[in-house]
Amino acid sequence: MLGKLQDLCVMITFDLSKPWNIMSSIEKWMKVIESICDSRRIYHLMTTDLKKKVSSHIQFYFDPSTAEENVRLSEQEKSEIAVQMENPKKNFGIPIFLVGCKSDALQKRYDATQVMEKFEAISLLAG
């Protein structure tokens, strides 16, 4: 069971045709994830290592389409830098993917610039 927990991820989907519901939907599912994690005794045995792994991934992530290869840190260099455990704000030690469905409805309602602004706002709020 312990080995399988490391391979777990969660995907939260939300309906972009109803943008006013996005944050409440994300918050609802984050509470569900939190209650499941809190109720699992075995999860608490690994929680520190799992949270560190998620925080480390976020801290050292680089966008391959914009970052140059020589900017990437080696595993040795990464191990010498303290992991910033406060990011993400809600860290369950499980990667959580937010997926917007029905993006065509959002694109019909707003122009491309407004759509990008809304996606950026969602990513900042979801933290």
Side-chain angles (χ1 to χ4, degrees), residues 51-70:
K51 287 179 179 182
K52 185 174 182 179
K53 186 176 177 182
V54 169
S55 293
S56 177
H57 178 76
I58 291 170
Q59 181 176 348
F60 297 113
Y61 175 79
F62 78 98
D63 182 351
S65 67
T66 59
E68 295 180 22
E69 190 61 33
N70 61 2

Side-chain angles (χ1 to χ4, degrees), residues 1-119:
M1 175 67 175
L2 291 176
K4 298 291 183 191
L5 196 56
Q6 292 173 219
D7 299 328
L8 182 67
C9 75
V10 173
M11 181 182 301
I12 298 173
T13 61
F14 49 90
D15 186 351
L16 290 171
S17 68
K18 300 174 185 171
W20 53 89
N21 290 337
I22 292 172
M23 286 313 299
S24 63
S25 178
I26 292 171
E27 289 168 358
K28 177 182 95 173
W29 287 109
M30 292 296 279
K31 287 178 185 174
V32 170
I33 296 166
E34 185 172 23
S35 69
I36 291 170
C37 289
D38 286 347
S39 69
R40 303 291 183 238
R41 189 173 86 75
I42 198 155
Y43 171 79
H44 294 289
L45 299 173
M46 294 181 65
T47 191
T48 303
D49 289 338
L50 293 172
K51 287 179 179 182
K52 185 174 182 179
K53 186 176 177 182
V54 169
S55 293
S56 177
H57 178 76
I58 291 170
Q59 181 176 348
F60 297 113
Y61 175 79
F62 78 98
D63 182 351
S65 67
T66 59
E68 295 180 22
E69 190 61 33
N70 61 2
V71 175
R72 194 175 214 178
L73 296 175
S74 70
E75 292 303 316
Q76 175 67 29
E77 290 169 318
K78 289 178 187 177
S79 68
E80 295 170 0
I81 299 171
V83 176
Q84 298 169 356
M85 295 296 287
E86 63 277 356
N87 194 12
K89 294 173 194 165
K90 286 262 189 188
N91 187 349
F92 303 112
I94 301 167
I96 298 174
F97 300 94
L98 302 176
V99 178
C101 301
K102 301 182 184 176
S103 63
D104 55 333
L106 191 65
Q107 291 172 344
K108 287 178 187 175
R109 186 173 294 182
Y110 304 103
D111 67 35
T113 305
Q114 291 173 315
V115 169
M116 291 311 295
E117 288 172 0
K118 294 197 182 303
F119 283 139

